[in-house]
Amino acid sequence: MSDYTDEQLILKYQQGDIKSYNEIVARFKDRLLNFINGYMKDYETSQNLVQDTFIKVYTHGHSYKEISKFSTWIFTIAGNLAKTELRKLKRRKTYSFSQLSTKDMEFNLERFSSEDNKDVSVERYEKYKAILEAIPKLSEEFRIIIILRDIQELSYDEISKITGLAIGTVKSRINRARLKLLEMIR
């Protein structure tokens, strides 16, 4: 990957550099999949919505203006597509929250395998795994916020823009969601 910022990459894409678009896809595909799957609870549908997100970026990339961070813009597109899909599913009355098995969740756990102390690594991995298994059990309002903050590591400001919530509401929901997660894993 290049040393370009996300904003520089989209600018290069707007100027006709298709390699920049490919790098945007590489940078965001896993993060968007984790994010959308927090809404959908269906891995296959989530993959399709990630593809739809990248199609929108490809066809409407020229409309991005550096008013906000590129990551905020692309996560907003992805969130809107997921919300639209949920509304469609509810109208069809075929919507169900199917729980993913842990093998379907593709979170990056490599950071736990490289530690010197194997006992600490295993213990940290087990805690991390318990948290990942508990996240789908949170209500949607808490689940999305936790995914954006603790998995995607977005700022409060970015989360506020993506969700349309006030920063104070974002902070309080993050705190409440973390408390609920602690209760669940104890």
Side-chain angles (χ1 to χ4, degrees), residues 137-183:
K137 297 173 186 167
L138 290 171
S139 66
E140 182 179 337
E141 69 179 343
F142 294 129
R143 185 175 58 244
I144 299 307
I145 295 284
I146 281 293
I147 290 170
L148 289 172
R149 180 66 182 165
D150 293 336
I151 295 175
Q152 300 299 329
E153 299 177 346
L154 297 180
S155 70
Y156 294 123
D157 189 48
E158 290 174 298
I159 296 169
S160 173
K161 289 177 183 170
I162 290 168
T163 61
L165 299 171
I167 289 181
T169 304
V170 167
K171 289 179 180 179
S172 70
R173 284 194 186 170
I174 288 169
N175 287 332
R176 288 188 293 176
R178 287 176 178 161
L179 290 172
K180 288 182 182 294
L181 280 174
L182 283 174
E183 288 173 15

Side-chain angles (χ1 to χ4, degrees), residues 75-87:
F75 275 96
T76 301
I77 292 170
N80 288 341
L81 287 171
K83 289 173 190 173
T84 300
E85 184 66 19
L86 284 174
R87 281 193 297 274

Side-chain angles (χ1 to χ4, degrees), residues 24-54 71 74-79 81-82 100-108 132 135-136 143-144 147-148 151-152 154:
I24 288 169
V25 171
R27 281 187 187 183
F28 283 93
K29 65 181 176 174
D30 293 335
R31 292 171 56 195
L32 288 173
L33 183 59
N34 289 335
F35 171 65
I36 291 174
N37 199 44
Y39 278 99
M40 302 307 300
K41 298 298 194 213
D42 179 318
Y43 190 75
E44 198 171 313
T45 301
S46 298
Q47 287 178 313
N48 291 336
L49 290 172
V50 168
Q51 293 299 319
D52 291 347
T53 301
F54 287 124
S71 59
I74 196 168
F75 275 96
T76 301
I77 292 170
L81 287 171
L100 291 176
S101 67
T102 55
K103 68 180 181 193
D104 290 335
M105 299 176 100
E106 292 188 3
F107 293 99
N108 184 1
L132 291 180
I135 288 174
R143 185 175 58 244
I144 299 307
I147 290 170
L148 289 172
I151 295 175
Q152 300 299 329
L154 297 180

Side-chain angles (χ1 to χ4, degrees), residues 109-122:
L109 301 177
E110 293 173 354
R111 63 183 126 172
F112 297 103
S113 62
S114 63
E115 296 200 26
D116 295 332
N117 185 337
K118 296 281 188 228
D119 294 334
V120 172
S121 180
V122 170

